[in-house]
Amino acid sequence: MSDRYRVPRGVRARLLGLVCLAAVSITGQTPASTAKSTGAKATGASKAGTPPRTPWGDPDLQGTWFVLAEVPLERSSANAGKEFLTDEEVAAADEKKGLNPGRNARSGDKSQDVSGAYNAVFNSVLKTGKRTSMIIDPPDGKIPPLAPGAKAPGNLFGGPVAPGGNDNPETIAQSPRCLGVPMPFLPLNTLFAQGTVMQVVQSPKSMAIYMEDDHAGGGNRVIFMDGHPHAPSKLKFYLGDSRGHWEGNALVVETTNFSQGFRGSNIETYKMTERFTRADANTLRREITFDDPKTWSKPWTVVVEMGRAPSERHMIFDSACHEGNYGMTGILVGARREEQAGKK
């Protein structure tokens, strides 16, 4: 949200995306471990389907990973019944992205014009993906219908702005304030490199995932691997409470106890289950299943495919969105104008 009308900050935001693309000239090197060996030796991927191992014997998922391509969350009606685009369709979409790079994206609708009038500095630098949707289940690539009695979400992570929410900076939601990466950390807006880069660090009893999300800033997830149960249900966490275990070569992470839902889900019944699998030395597959019987008629699953950066080029640049956040200033000024208009 910060400096959305100033090109220098826009250029900085796009540098993150450019670094992502440059970094995905993948070498497949295994990052050096700082942990002491417990007997097993770290090895590279010796054959197809055999992931490298940590010194203590677990599959090695460490490194900096970048989303490789732009894929919509849901399948469009134009691609109904089609899971993948053809090579010709991908090439045509990429060619369209490169047309008139200095253009402004304007709209005849005033509210759309204000919220979406970004010039090409902000356009996605990711190539078009072959998948027609991130959603792989249900097979139609659509979010399932709502459960009986559930209400459609007012926005991505909940409902409309609460009364008084725009009274002062402290009560504005975290996302407009650029404070706190939201879960599930999906690449839903690659215009701003959101949800496209993360760094994984492992130890025998826990894992850490650093997520950099431009507008939202950065955030650190901690996933406990030692078998202890989730925190009591009355305790809520912004990134949820994560517990992981291995199923073969797949890391399975169950996250509950969220302090906010996703797409209107009920935080008391909402659960997110991830499967991280290193498909090969250079590819990480992240499957995420969303389950909430009070919100959706059935669980649904997305897949995000990521490429690994070279070990010597693993830096993630801080987008520093919160500083000089003119978008938040605009929200506050707009709310005061609406109040003044209402008194007339």
Side-chain angles (χ1 to χ4, degrees):
M1 186 69 73
S2 81
D3 288 20
R4 58 181 290 181
Y5 302 113
R6 296 176 62 188
V7 172
R9 182 60 58 88
V11 172
R12 187 193 307 182
R14 294 280 36 87
L15 283 175
L16 177 59
L18 293 173
V19 169
C20 292
L21 289 186
V24 183
S25 56
I26 303 165
T27 63
Q29 297 176 1
T30 303
S33 172
T34 57
K36 294 182 178 179
S37 174
T38 58
K41 293 183 179 181
T43 62
S46 57
K47 60 182 179 178
T50 303
R53 297 279 168 175
T54 62
W56 53 93
D58 290 334
D60 193 341
L61 306 181
Q62 297 182 96
T64 299
W65 301 91
F66 297 95
V67 170
L68 293 170
E70 183 177 25
V71 177
L73 176 63
E74 294 189 272
R75 187 172 301 151
S76 68
S77 56
N79 289 317
K82 183 167 62 175
E83 187 176 1
F84 296 99
L85 299 174
T86 65
D87 291 340
E88 291 76 16
E89 288 170 324
V90 170
D94 286 340
E95 183 180 7
K96 186 177 180 180
K97 286 182 180 182
L99 293 176
N100 191 14
R103 70 191 183 283
N104 286 311
R106 305 307 298 263
S107 171
D109 181 281
K110 292 183 179 179
S111 61
Q112 291 282 340
D113 190 50
V114 171
S115 64
Y118 297 96
N119 65 24
V121 167
F122 296 94
N123 287 347
S124 174
V125 295
L126 292 180
K127 296 293 185 180
T128 303
K130 296 203 70 173
R131 287 189 178 276
T132 55
S133 67
M134 280 189 267
I135 296 177
I136 59 173
D137 186 43
D140 65 359
K142 297 284 189 180
I143 296 174
L146 294 174
K151 295 181 179 180
N155 56 53
L156 193 63
F157 293 96
V161 177
N166 292 333
D167 284 353
N168 59 67
E170 287 73 24
T171 56
I172 290 177
Q174 282 187 288
S175 181
R177 294 174 66 193
C178 302
L179 291 176
V181 173
M183 291 297 288
F185 192 64
L186 292 177
L188 296 175
N189 185 1
T190 58
L191 288 163
F192 291 90
Q194 292 177 339
T196 61
V197 57
M198 67 183 192
Q199 185 175 19
V200 179
V201 178
Q202 292 174 242
S203 76
K205 294 185 178 181
S206 65
M207 297 183 67
I209 301 179
Y210 174 73
M211 305 172 293
E212 177 62 41
D213 207 352
D214 192 46
H215 275 205
N220 287 286
R221 291 180 68 189
V222 176
I223 300 167
F224 294 104
M225 305 287 294
D226 57 1
H228 73 269
H230 283 286
S233 60
K234 66 181 179 180
L235 298 179
K236 306 299 182 185
F237 307 89
Y238 185 65
L239 297 179
D241 184 48
S242 296
R243 299 291 184 270
H245 66 276
W246 294 100
E247 293 183 3
N249 291 328
L251 169 66
V252 179
V253 180
E254 180 183 275
T255 306
T256 60
N257 298 44
F258 288 98
S259 61
Q260 65 173 9
F262 176 56
R263 291 187 172 265
S265 60
N266 186 303
I267 60 174
E268 302 302 331
T269 52
Y270 168 50
K271 179 176 69 174
M272 186 181 83
T273 303
E274 299 163 277
R275 293 182 67 88
F276 293 87
T277 307
R278 194 162 181 174
D280 55 42
N282 301 328
T283 308
L284 182 71
R285 180 182 172 94
R286 181 183 177 219
E287 291 187 20
I288 312 160
T289 298
F290 304 100
D291 188 359
D292 179 11
K294 289 190 175 181
T295 301
W296 303 295
S297 56
K298 60 180 179 179
W300 51 287
T301 302
V302 306
V303 63
V304 179
E305 294 173 328
M306 310 185 82
R308 185 173 178 272
S311 298
E312 71 276 8
R313 299 176 62 188
H314 68 279
M315 290 190 301
I316 298 178
F317 292 99
D318 178 7
S319 57
C321 173
H322 184 67
E323 294 79 356
N325 189 342
Y326 294 102
M328 183 173 65
T329 303
I331 290 173
L332 293 170
V333 171
R336 304 294 80 76
R337 293 291 177 85
E338 289 180 345
E339 291 169 355
Q340 292 170 4
K343 294 177 182 178
K344 294 182 180 179

